[in-house]
């Protein structure tokens, strides 16, 4: 009976040391990474199969962090460049809600950026008789086509009208 008890305790200790501890460390790294952290450098202190998992995790975390930084820098450059343009530049989702706008949109259409990004729909910036035409333009873009200099009439927040030429393309 003592031998069985000793074997059970030894097996439990061995299982905890060889499987549970590295698995829990790996799970903590994954949780940190998935919640926006960098996951840190995983060090399981092992030289067996866990070293392969540790190496793969650290490479994945490093590659993903590098890609995220590059994407963040690219997005920053895009936003800075769009602010230098004299034209209004904006991005819509498939439903016509604003997901991005430069300062020129605010200057011309009198909506603050926060307003645009929190509930203003593209059709609120279109003179009602022109909504069908704008709807057709959006349909072209959703179909993967570009719109190149089509005329329409936009409406400012104050209700005053402004003629515009629309250029748009799908973001691929």
């Amino acid at each position: 009976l003592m031998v069985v008890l000793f074997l059970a305790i030894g097996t439990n200790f061995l299982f905890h040391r060889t499987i549970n501890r590295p698995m829990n460390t790996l799970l903590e790294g994954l949780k940190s990474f998935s919640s926006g952290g960098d996951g840190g450098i995983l060090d399981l202190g092992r030289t067996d199969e866990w070293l392969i998992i540790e190496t793969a995790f650290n490479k994945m975390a490093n590659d993903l962090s590098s890609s995220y930084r590059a994407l963040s820098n690219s997005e920053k450059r895009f936003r800075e460049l769009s602010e230098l343009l004299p034209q209004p530049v904006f991005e819509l989702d498939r439903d016509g809600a604003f997901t991005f706008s430069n300062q020129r949109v605010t200057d011309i259409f009198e909506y603050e950026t926060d307003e645009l990004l929190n509930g203003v729909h593209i059709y609120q910036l279109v003179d009602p008789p022109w909504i069908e035409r704008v709807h057709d333009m959006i349909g072209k873009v959703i179909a993967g086509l570009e719109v190149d200099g089509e005329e329409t009439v936009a409406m400012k927040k104050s209700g005053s009208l402004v003629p515009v030429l629309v250029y748009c393309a799908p973001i691929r």
Side-chain angles (χ1 to χ4, degrees):
L1 183 63
M2 286 299 275
V3 171
V4 172
L5 183 59
F6 180 71
L7 284 175
I9 291 171
T11 302
N12 186 34
F13 175 76
L14 186 61
F15 182 79
H16 176 73
R17 182 170 164 78
T18 60
I19 296 176
N20 276 359
R21 188 182 303 161
M23 182 64 75
N24 287 336
T25 303
L26 178 62
L27 287 173
E28 289 303 314
L30 287 170
K31 285 179 187 174
S32 170
F33 201 76
S34 69
S35 65
D38 64 3
I41 297 297
L42 193 62
D43 183 8
L44 301 175
R46 305 290 297 259
T47 58
D48 55 7
E49 294 86 0
W50 284 105
L51 180 61
I52 297 167
I53 295 170
E54 172 189 308
T55 303
F57 177 87
N58 288 335
K59 180 177 180 350
M60 176 200 65
N62 185 49
D63 291 351
L64 198 52
S65 291
S66 295
S67 295
Y68 179 76
R69 278 190 303 278
L71 179 63
S72 182
N73 289 337
S74 177
E75 182 179 291
K76 181 182 176 193
R77 285 191 311 271
F78 165 77
R79 291 183 187 281
E80 290 171 350
L81 178 62
S82 74
E83 292 301 335
L84 297 174
L85 297 172
Q87 296 87 6
V89 175
F90 55 87
E91 179 183 58
L92 304 172
D93 65 14
R94 291 180 147 275
D95 298 322
F98 286 84
T99 57
F100 169 78
S101 71
N102 69 353
Q103 182 60 41
R104 214 44 200 132
V105 175
T106 297
D107 296 343
I108 293 172
F109 297 103
E110 304 167 344
Y111 285 94
E112 294 299 323
T113 301
D114 286 347
E115 289 179 283
L116 290 168
L117 300 179
N118 292 303
V120 174
H121 192 277
I122 185 63
Y123 295 132
Q124 290 174 253
L125 276 68
V126 179
D127 186 25
W130 293 84
I131 286 179
E132 187 174 331
R133 182 166 181 150
V134 171
H135 181 76
D136 291 343
M137 288 182 220
I138 291 172
K140 286 179 183 178
V141 173
I142 290 173
L145 304 172
E146 294 185 11
V147 174
D148 191 24
E150 290 196 31
E151 293 181 22
T152 189
V153 177
M155 185 167 40
K156 298 180 180 189
K157 185 177 180 180
S158 64
S160 61
L161 303 178
V162 56
V164 294
L165 286 176
V166 176
Y167 296 85
C168 53
I171 296 176
R172 301 180 206 315

